[in-house]
Amino acid sequence: YSMALRNWEFTSAFRAELRDYVTIATGDRANEPRSAFNAPEKLRHFCDSVKFSFQDALLYQGPIFYPSGDCEGCGSEERRANLDIGDIKRLDGTPVDGEVEPITLSQAQAYESAMQYVTITLPTCSSKSLFHVEIDHEAFSSILINTIRRCSLIRTAFRIASEGETYDRLATCALKNGSFLDMIEGGSNEDCTWSLRLRRYGSGEAASSTQDGDKIKANNCNNKTAKQRMKVARYGKNVRSPLKDEKDAILSMAHLVARFKGKVCLANPDCKIYLLEGLQNRLTSRRGEENKNATADNNSRGKTGTMFLARVIAQGPKVSFPGIMKILFS
């Protein structure tokens, strides 16, 4: 399935859920002039004015094979400049170890778009001023969850809890911004089971963690062969991380997870938490081009060093046909 179709399905489903929410919320005030029932055109315009921004979160760094004489669809000038027709090279033009199996450009593009950052911006004219209905954080989350369940081409939706360069910083930021208040004592999910899993993408280089003031490399990628590095993340392969690395990460985040009141459950937890490494930094467009809406002081564009601590907020259908993607929300 094309990326355009997946994005169209999501945006259409979100607008439909938003329209339903506002309509139901004003159902008991149908006689009021400013209710959604008496202003269908305003409601339609309000929903159509929602803006969406999609950005690929994955960055394929392995070799790509271009068939000899076939340059159609090679993409940007950067791709074509680094292209030797009939050769196998990375997009930066560097040679490739013969043991590494190349993939086609279409497979690389499918891999990169398999996970995307999504930003949703509601209209400046609020629903409260139009329909006396306020869309707060809880209402927005409900709309988002129903949207994902309504889609057939989205597998998992994550909400980013924190981002940083070390596990310790991820935990500290998550504590400060209250992303896990519901899981500590007195929270609405204090008795819920939970799991924390590690997923590495990109070139396979493990991110550093901070524990007792020392920086530790969970895995030193420099001692691996190119073939071993490419096993970490590529088209058509599931991403798994060593259990030891997950345990090391949890130990580095002890000041956060120690406050969770529920029990650990790896099989089917109520709250699923993920450490995501090797993703493209946000506020970048494809292949590191600057996003017009990005802030000028973002010096990390096009890099893949930032880690994310994220929570699963909703899951789509459990099917295996190609074209399903994962999405991340702030």
Side-chain angles (χ1 to χ4, degrees), residues 172-200:
T172 301
C173 291
L175 281 172
K176 288 183 178 179
N177 63 34
S179 296
F180 295 95
L181 283 177
D182 61 308
M183 296 179 63
I184 66 177
E185 187 173 4
S188 58
N189 292 320
E190 65 172 334
D191 295 324
C192 291
T193 57
W194 60 276
S195 68
L196 196 159
R197 309 310 298 259
L198 174 63
R199 295 292 181 264
R200 288 200 179 109

Side-chain angles (χ1 to χ4, degrees), residues 43 89 98 101 124 162 181 293 311 314 324:
L43 177 59
K89 286 192 174 184
E101 182 182 356
T124 54
S162 61
L181 283 177
N293 297 324
R311 297 180 62 171
I324 296 182

